[in-house]
Amino acid sequence: MAPRGSRTVVPSVARPNASSTDDRALIERMRSGDDQAFDAIFRRYVNKVYRQIHRLIGNDAETEEIVQEVFLAVYQKCQSFRGESAFSTWLYSLATNACLTRLRKRKRIKEISLDGFLPRYRDDGHHHVRPVFNWSDEVEFRLEKDEVRELLQNAIDQLPPAEKAVIVLSDVEGVPDREIGEALGLSIPAVKARLHRARLFLRGKLADALGYSPA
Amino acid sequence: MMKQHTASRRQPRGAGLTCQQVTDLILNYARGELQARTALALKAHLRECPDCVAFLATYTKTIQVTNALRYETIPPAMRNRVRHFLRTKITEASRAAADPA
């Protein structure tokens, strides 16, 4: 996997291979009534859109409804896509907004305080709980892949909608901060702040699952 | 005396950064996006602080396992249903466009 940015320490994910030029050509064909072009867009993006929505929404039935809704919107609104941003950004925006609309309706039910799983510090700025254990080599050793997946999904479900959208787009799908910002209407520093907070929360959840202090 | 004690407690490790400040910088550090001077200060802190080394390792691990969620594809049955739904809608739209009355 190619890292985003230079001198990256953290392995990241590659950007989508589909070139924006290809996308634009397909959109042009769709505009002129070529349904095969829509089919090509569907094939190219359905897995990304599915993952994005599934991670944000968390259940199969609603995920399916929103995947349908998003691709139908692509078909119906392709005339209004002006190409000022990449097609992928527009698509992420459609999918994310469709998810956020639903998530806001159930916000009161599922949202919890993240604080219990975030790091804490003493007045002098040192870690509150010391020593901090390095459990990074224990994840695969102690948890099955499915357990990790379920744990992360449950943790993502507990994030506020904006944090949820940012971590799914960034760390699951590898979308650059700029595109995430455009899709969600956030500045790049705001994207980074939400991403960092979400990562800290997921880290806390993993630590807790392994029997260590999230702090 | 009290002031000295307070100053001592606030004395950060390694070139002026506290663990909390290091945590705040980790995202940009992990991407190599810190200014050189700040990156040096952070590295100096890491040389002296095993807690932050452990924290960085677990933060990095969290990103790695989250990355792994991307290798998931839409279940074939769902894909087929979505496709069928879209084809139906597109056919209806095409018919409506061809015969507005």
Side-chain angles (χ1 to χ4, degrees):
Chain A
M1 290 186 288
R4 270 192 320 241
S6 59
R7 292 176 290 137
T8 302
V9 175
V10 179
S12 188
V13 292
R15 292 203 51 191
N17 287 328
S19 76
S20 56
T21 311
D22 288 348
D23 286 344
R24 284 171 199 278
L26 288 170
I27 294 293
E28 282 304 318
R29 284 171 51 198
M30 275 175 62
R31 281 174 169 160
S32 59
D34 183 348
D35 290 343
Q36 285 186 342
F38 176 67
D39 220 37
I41 288 282
F42 178 82
R43 284 197 307 273
R44 179 174 287 179
Y45 283 103
V46 67
N47 285 321
K48 288 178 191 300
V49 169
Y50 165 78
R51 281 194 301 266
Q52 182 188 350
I53 294 169
H54 194 231
R55 293 292 160 221
L56 288 172
I57 291 296
N59 75 66
D60 287 346
E62 275 189 282
T63 296
E64 184 169 338
E65 283 177 19
I66 301 173
V67 172
Q68 288 176 349
E69 192 179 308
V70 166
F71 278 101
L72 190 59
V74 168
Y75 182 79
Q76 291 170 334
K77 296 181 180 175
C78 67
Q79 302 291 347
S80 65
F81 172 66
R82 289 179 295 179
E84 289 167 354
S85 58
F87 170 76
S88 57
T89 305
W90 185 61
L91 185 59
Y92 297 140
S93 178
L94 287 175
T96 304
N97 287 327
C99 292
L100 292 181
T101 301
R102 297 220 182 191
L103 289 171
R104 286 191 187 107
K105 289 178 187 168
R106 61 187 193 194
K107 180 179 173 184
R108 287 174 184 275
I109 303 168
K110 294 196 79 175
E111 199 171 301
I112 61 156
S113 168
L114 307 188
D115 293 346
F117 293 91
L118 297 179
R120 285 182 288 133
Y121 301 90
R122 301 187 325 207
D123 289 344
D124 62 4
H126 290 316
H127 289 278
H128 183 75
V129 177
R130 296 169 66 190
V132 175
F133 283 97
N134 181 357
W135 42 258
S136 58
D137 291 336
E138 296 183 28
V139 177
E140 284 87 359
F141 180 66
R142 291 181 49 195
L143 297 173
E144 296 292 333
K145 270 187 179 174
D146 287 349
E147 284 181 281
V148 176
R149 183 182 293 272
E150 190 177 339
L151 193 155
L152 288 172
Q153 182 62 58
N154 288 337
I156 290 170
D157 282 347
Q158 292 172 347
L159 288 167
E163 274 83 349
K164 188 183 289 196
V166 168
I167 200 159
V168 168
L169 287 171
S170 181
D171 284 353
V172 181
E173 295 301 327
V175 179
D177 294 342
R178 183 184 49 74
E179 279 193 51
I180 296 172
E182 286 175 19
L184 301 181
L186 296 171
S187 66
I188 289 177
V191 169
K192 284 184 172 181
R194 282 163 175 75
L195 175 61
H196 188 53
R197 187 170 157 82
R199 284 175 174 175
L200 292 176
F201 178 69
L202 297 192
R203 178 199 166 274
K205 289 294 229 178
L206 280 168
D208 186 59
L210 292 166
Y212 297 109
S213 169
Chain B
M1 191 66 183
M2 181 61 80
K3 275 187 179 175
Q4 277 182 343
H5 177 69
T6 304
S8 166
R9 285 186 65 213
R10 286 182 179 163
Q11 184 65 40
R13 297 176 182 195
L17 294 177
T18 66
C19 300
Q20 188 169 7
Q21 289 168 329
V22 167
T23 301
D24 291 342
L25 295 168
I26 278 181
L27 183 147
N28 285 329
Y29 176 70
R31 293 177 174 183
E33 292 178 359
L34 284 183
Q35 289 186 346
R37 191 173 165 185
T38 311
L40 281 174
L42 195 149
K43 284 175 184 168
H45 180 100
L46 291 177
R47 280 196 293 275
E48 296 178 20
C49 182
D51 291 325
C52 281
V53 171
F55 193 90
L56 176 61
T58 54
Y59 183 89
T60 304
K61 186 67 183 182
T62 302
I63 300 168
Q64 286 176 347
V65 296
T66 310
N67 281 172
L69 292 176
R70 84 185 304 236
Y71 300 106
E72 186 183 25
T73 55
I74 186 169
M78 186 187 291
R79 182 189 174 110
N80 289 338
R81 285 194 300 272
V82 171
R83 214 169 190 157
H84 177 73
F85 168 87
L86 292 169
R87 282 191 175 143
T88 305
K89 289 286 179 186
I90 289 170
T91 304
E92 285 172 4
S94 300
R95 280 185 191 147
D99 183 14

